């Protein structure tokens, strides 16, 4: 199990995960988590309301969909015997977590989603978000998302991967709205270049790939965020 230095665990977190792992025999057990700062603590928006057990190709599909499982190692218990050989890529400035999770979820035979909170994630200041744009580390995240192609084996994996790629662009665009126009301009150019490179358009999402309403919502969010960034840049010129 992995725990970030500034996060926290509920008292019975490890016991809950271990009991669930022994009872189910799952290779990976993932619990719910809360998000907290000095003012409040709330459930994460990807928590599950009931137990879910997935096997085979559905394990990686669940990760790539990013609906119930996100690409970070914390909040999960991994079977050491079969999954303990994997390591993080220290050459990456960002998204090394995603590669690690893709490797372990590809090798895992089963995944259990536990409907109880076992992790407390500390919400970071907005300055930490801005730093990844100023340093250019966000490009590493996009490269990592693009690189998930090496793990996709089935049509379900490829559709989930397409959804993750679009979700990532939409997230970056929404965060970039808070940047000063001079810093947002190169981010806008990078997102537009990736969108074109990855072949996203209204026609491909709705007709060709048939990725569904959740992906369509991400497409709308992306377009709105990009439009707002363009207007802010134009107003600053």
């Amino acid at each position: 199990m992995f725990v970030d230095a500034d996060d926290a665990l509920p008292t019975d977190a490890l016991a809950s995960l271990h009991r669930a792992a022994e009872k189910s025999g799952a290779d990976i057990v993932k619990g719910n988590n809360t998000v907290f700062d000095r003012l409040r603590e709330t459930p994460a928006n990807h928590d599950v309301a009931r137990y879910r057990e997935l096997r085979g190709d559905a394990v990686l599909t669940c990760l790539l969909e990013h609906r119930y499982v996100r690409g970070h190692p914390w909040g999960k218990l991994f079977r050491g015997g079969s999954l303990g050989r994997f390591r993080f890529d220290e050459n990456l400035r960002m998204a090394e977590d995603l590669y690690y999770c893709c490797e372990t979820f590809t090798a895992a035979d089963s995944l259990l989603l536990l409907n109880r909170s076992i992790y407390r994630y500390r919400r970071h200041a907005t300055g930490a978000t801005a730093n990844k744009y100023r340093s250019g580390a966000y490009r590493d995240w996009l490269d990592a998302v693009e690189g998930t192609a090496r793990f996709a084996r089935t049509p379900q994996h490829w559709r989930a991967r397409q959804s993750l790629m679009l979700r990532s662009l939409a997230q970056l665009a929404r965060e970039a709205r808070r940047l000063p126009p001079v810093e947002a301009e190169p981010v806008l150019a990078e997102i537009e270049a990736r969108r074109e490179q990855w072949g996203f358009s209204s026609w491909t999402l709705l007709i060709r790939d048939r990725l569904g309403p959740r992906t369509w919502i991400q497409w709308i969010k992306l377009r709105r965020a990009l439009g707002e960034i363009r207007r802010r840049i134009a107003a600053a010129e």
Side-chain angles (χ1 to χ4, degrees):
M1 185 179 181
F2 301 89
V3 182
D4 285 355
D6 53 352
D7 295 340
L9 296 177
T11 302
D12 61 346
L14 294 175
S16 297
L17 287 169
H18 190 256
R19 281 195 302 267
E22 286 201 316
K23 184 177 180 179
S24 67
D27 290 330
I28 303 173
V29 181
K30 180 262 181 190
N32 288 342
N33 71 275
T34 59
V35 180
F36 75 98
D37 55 24
R38 63 186 182 85
L39 298 177
R40 60 176 181 167
E41 184 165 358
T42 57
N45 59 14
H46 55 272
D47 282 355
V48 296
R50 59 180 178 83
Y51 282 77
R52 292 174 180 266
E53 190 167 2
L54 301 100
R55 295 187 176 277
D57 289 335
V59 175
L60 180 60
T61 299
C62 187
L63 172 66
L64 293 176
E65 285 178 339
H66 259 50
R67 184 176 182 182
Y68 301 119
V69 180
R70 301 293 168 86
H72 43 62
W74 53 259
K76 305 171 180 67
L77 187 68
F78 298 88
R79 183 181 296 279
S82 57
L83 305 179
R85 67 186 185 275
F86 297 107
R87 296 292 183 269
F88 292 91
D89 186 345
E90 298 180 359
N91 295 318
L92 295 175
R93 290 180 296 175
M94 190 175 181
E96 67 277 8
D97 289 357
L98 178 61
Y99 270 129
Y100 174 82
C101 285
C102 280
E103 288 185 319
T104 54
F105 276 66
T106 298
D109 292 325
S110 54
L111 165 68
L112 176 67
L113 305 181
L114 189 63
N115 63 339
R116 64 178 302 169
S117 181
I118 57 85
Y119 198 90
R120 302 176 63 222
Y121 176 82
R122 189 184 303 273
R123 182 183 289 108
H124 300 284
T126 55
T129 297
N131 286 338
K132 71 183 178 188
Y133 295 102
R134 291 167 185 155
S135 67
Y138 71 96
R139 296 188 182 92
D140 289 346
W141 166 254
L142 293 175
D143 289 342
V145 170
E146 185 174 330
T148 57
R150 60 185 271 213
F151 302 102
R153 303 185 302 264
T154 69
Q156 290 77 16
H157 290 165
W158 283 102
R159 282 195 293 271
R161 176 178 174 268
Q162 288 286 93
S163 179
L164 174 60
M165 293 163 71
L166 182 59
R167 172 192 286 270
S168 301
L169 291 180
Q171 176 183 334
L172 293 178
R174 292 197 301 271
E175 291 177 353
R177 292 177 301 181
R178 300 192 292 268
L179 297 175
V182 66
E183 295 179 7
E185 192 165 1
V187 179
L188 172 65
E190 183 68 30
I191 293 174
E192 290 282 27
R194 299 279 182 149
R195 184 195 63 76
E196 183 175 353
Q197 177 186 341
W198 294 348
F200 287 137
S201 67
S202 299
W203 180 85
T204 57
L205 293 173
L206 188 63
I207 306 300
R208 188 192 68 184
D209 297 333
R210 299 180 181 179
L211 292 182
R214 291 179 63 249
T215 303
W216 188 248
I217 291 173
Q218 291 294 335
W219 173 247
I220 294 174
K221 289 181 177 179
L222 171 62
R223 297 192 62 175
R224 286 178 175 173
L226 293 179
E228 184 174 339
I229 295 172
R230 293 190 197 98
R231 289 191 293 271
R232 294 182 69 244
I233 292 174
E237 291 179 350

